[in-house]
Amino acid sequence: MLRRHRREVSVVIAIAALAIVLAAVAPGYFARANLRDLFLANLPVLIIALGATLVILTGEIDISVGSVFAVCGVTAGLAAKAGLPVLAAGLAACAVGAATGAINGLLVAKVRVPSIVVTLAMMVALRDALRWGTEGAWVQDLPTGFQWLGLTQSLYPVAMGAVAIALVGAMAWGMRHLAVGRAIYATGSNPDAARLVGFDTAFVKLSVFAVAGGLTGLAALLNAVRFNQIPTNAGLGLEMKVIAAVVVGGAAIRGGQGNIVGTLLGVTLLSAIGPALTFLGVSAYWERAIQGGIILAAVALDAARERADTQRTRIRPQGPAYV
């Protein structure tokens, strides 16, 4: 059991060690207001990371999430300013995210362009298109009912806690017990075998990109309602934090391995490191360096593990040959 979940156990130990250090050196870190701000600031990261987990499980990657996040946030703000209710503004943001993800998925699954090339191009195109369309101006003068989704500022964190629990619980259960979860794991583990048993791997990949885009739209909405204006440069560098959180939670970059609970733990650890550096008197600029180091370490670990698996397969004793 411990061996099977050793990556998750390692992350839990890292979180506990960080908490012990902070409790001893900077107890102010655990102030109620700080923890609430940490949760609300990183809830969008968690939601995007859930979608990114699905993409990575299929053996693909999406580095356009930061740009999609910015476009969806601006879409939600403009829809609210146009007089749409907050629910319709949220649906518009999710629809834009899902459509963008579907385009990525279509190019990856049907045209067979490598996902890193497709999403890199999408990242640049969306960022420049948004800059051209808005001329860098932030969305301001948002209606009062848009902020905090129309809830009180004290009730909003409680509602978002329920949203986070529902999303994580539903996706963890679905990946374990539903056929769609098995199709995603099979597509990432061995696409040829998955096709032989009847899974449409192209449709699976297209779908996970679309779902990930829709979740990015939801994350953009929940981030936008916390402020009275929406920046057009939101989400810069977000893809680095999301991918680092997913891989530190145990997902293999080559696909087929990982789970939702691991992603939750990875987001918790990565979200705690940045503010912890500030409380410990270390420059916050180290946060990005740490995230990059985590991604490099995870990729190197995956490559070493794959090489070891290949060698074990080669030296495994073969049964007697019958002529």
Side-chain angles (χ1 to χ4, degrees):
M1 181 75 175
L2 284 177
R3 185 176 180 181
R4 183 181 176 188
H5 297 286
R6 57 188 173 187
R7 181 72 73 90
E8 291 90 334
V9 173
S10 300
V11 178
V12 170
I13 292 173
I15 294 172
L18 182 61
I20 291 171
V21 171
L22 287 168
V25 179
Y29 181 92
F30 297 99
R32 183 176 179 181
N34 185 54
L35 294 180
R36 184 194 61 199
D37 290 345
L38 269 178
F39 168 68
L40 293 181
N42 289 288
L43 177 62
V45 178
L46 172 62
I47 294 173
I48 298 172
L50 293 176
T53 303
L54 304 182
V55 173
I56 290 177
L57 282 175
T58 62
E60 305 295 346
I61 197 163
D62 186 352
I63 60 173
S64 66
V65 291
S67 297
V68 176
F69 180 80
V71 170
C72 292
V74 170
T75 300
L78 293 178
K81 286 187 66 175
L84 294 179
V86 65
L87 177 60
L91 289 175
C94 292
V96 169
T100 308
I103 294 172
N104 284 338
L106 188 66
L107 292 172
V108 171
K110 298 294 185 182
V111 187
R112 297 183 181 275
V113 183
S115 55
I116 192 165
V117 176
V118 170
T119 56
L120 176 63
M122 183 65 78
M123 177 181 73
V124 175
L126 288 180
R127 188 66 71 181
D128 284 347
L130 187 60
R131 188 181 297 120
W132 177 80
T134 63
E135 298 181 345
W138 293 16
V139 181
Q140 298 178 329
D141 302 323
L142 295 165
T144 307
F146 182 73
Q147 276 200 298
W148 307 111
L149 295 177
L151 304 172
T152 63
Q153 195 167 347
S154 57
L155 182 59
Y156 181 79
V158 178
M160 292 306 100
V163 168
I165 292 172
L167 269 178
V168 171
M171 290 187 66
W173 183 86
M175 292 297 292
R176 189 174 179 85
H177 297 285
L178 297 181
V180 66
R182 292 191 289 275
I184 291 172
Y185 279 110
T187 299
S189 298
N190 191 327
D192 293 332
R195 279 191 290 271
L196 286 175
V197 298
F199 291 127
D200 185 345
T201 55
F203 180 73
V204 170
K205 290 188 177 183
L206 194 158
S207 300
V208 296
F209 272 99
V211 170
L215 287 173
T216 303
L218 173 61
L221 171 72
L222 298 184
N223 183 68
V225 299
R226 297 173 51 229
F227 307 101
N228 57 11
Q229 53 187 358
I230 301 173
T232 52
N233 61 350
L236 285 172
L238 181 61
E239 61 281 350
M240 179 80 81
K241 187 172 186 177
V242 167
I243 294 171
V246 174
V247 297
V248 83
I253 288 292
R254 66 178 187 274
Q257 182 180 334
N259 59 67
I260 298 299
V261 174
T263 295
L264 173 63
L265 293 172
V267 172
T268 302
L269 178 60
L270 268 292
S271 301
I273 286 177
L277 292 176
T278 302
F279 272 83
L280 295 175
V282 180
S283 172
Y285 290 111
W286 280 101
E287 182 181 5
R288 298 285 296 276
I290 292 172
Q291 291 170 2
I294 287 173
I295 294 175
L296 281 176
V299 172
L301 185 62
D302 281 349
R305 187 180 300 165
E306 187 174 12
R307 190 162 52 247
D309 291 344
T310 303
Q311 289 176 347
R312 273 198 298 270
T313 303
R314 286 176 178 170
I315 65 176
R316 184 175 296 166
Q318 302 295 318
Y322 296 98
V323 179

